[in-house]
Amino acid sequence: PEMKTSNNERNLIIARVVFELILVKNLKLAYKFISKYIDKTDNFNNNPPALNFAFMLVSLITRAMHDFDHFWALINIYKGVCEQEFYIQYYLNKISIMYYNRPFLKEEDNSSFNLMNIMKSFGFGGGQ
């Protein structure tokens, strides 16, 4: 069924699927999936930044799987997208460790990813 979400939420869900596919090392499917949502004309200017980032990320990993400098440059280009939701940084950290053997987040930042804290922020849990 069609989900009732904003375009931004939809784009973040699509990007998240791409991140998940990258983490299970299915780059071919990740590229095929994101390509359905990308307009490659006009230098990619017709796409939302989150979708462009997901497309560029899977393309980069496919072509330069062990080049951390390019990975870091891409993150800095799409810094706004990366900072939009914490889970994006969490995924990037896992991807960075998996493909580049280097963490994206400092250890103390990574340990702050706590599902219970996120649940409490949405009003779930907390025992009250």
Side-chain angles (χ1 to χ4, degrees), residues 50-116:
L51 297 184
N52 272 345
F53 176 64
F55 178 81
M56 297 298 176
L57 180 62
V58 74
S59 298
L60 172 71
I61 293 171
T62 301
R63 290 184 178 95
M65 189 176 296
H66 303 292
D67 191 338
F68 183 80
D69 291 336
H70 283 97
F71 174 73
W72 186 248
L74 182 66
I75 288 172
N76 284 307
I77 291 168
Y78 286 96
K79 190 173 184 168
V81 172
C82 298
E83 292 175 342
Q84 191 170 5
E85 299 285 337
F86 181 79
Y87 76 82
I88 293 174
Q89 295 172 38
Y90 179 73
Y91 276 111
L92 290 175
N93 194 52
K94 288 179 131 336
I95 290 168
S96 182
I97 292 167
M98 178 179 285
Y99 288 96
Y100 305 105
N101 204 27
R102 291 175 75 175
F104 167 79
L105 299 173
K106 295 177 185 169
E107 249 182 73
E108 64 269 9
D109 292 340
N110 194 22
S111 66
S112 69
F113 183 78
N114 181 323
L115 184 58
M116 288 310 293

Side-chain angles (χ1 to χ4, degrees), residues 14 36 40-41 53 56-57 98-99 105 117 119 124:
I14 292 167
K36 291 191 246 180
K40 296 176 186 174
T41 61
F53 176 64
M56 297 298 176
L57 180 62
M98 178 179 285
Y99 288 96
L105 299 173
N117 288 341
M119 299 281 286
F124 300 109

Side-chain angles (χ1 to χ4, degrees), residues 2 6 12 22 29 39 46 58 64 81 101 107 109 113:
E2 188 131 344
S6 71
L12 291 172
I22 290 170
L29 182 57
D39 178 1
N46 299 321
V58 74
V81 172
N101 204 27
E107 249 182 73
D109 292 340
F113 183 78

Side-chain angles (χ1 to χ4, degrees), residues 12-65:
L12 291 172
I13 291 168
I14 292 167
R16 188 173 184 170
V17 169
V18 172
F19 301 152
E20 290 283 350
L21 290 169
I22 290 170
L23 285 173
V24 296
K25 297 187 177 183
N26 197 336
L27 300 175
K28 188 175 183 178
L29 182 57
Y31 184 83
K32 186 176 180 180
F33 175 76
I34 192 63
S35 292
K36 291 191 246 180
Y37 300 98
I38 294 293
D39 178 1
K40 296 176 186 174
T41 61
D42 194 27
N43 257 353
F44 296 87
N45 288 322
N46 299 321
N47 305 310
L51 297 184
N52 272 345
F53 176 64
F55 178 81
M56 297 298 176
L57 180 62
V58 74
S59 298
L60 172 71
I61 293 171
T62 301
R63 290 184 178 95
M65 189 176 296

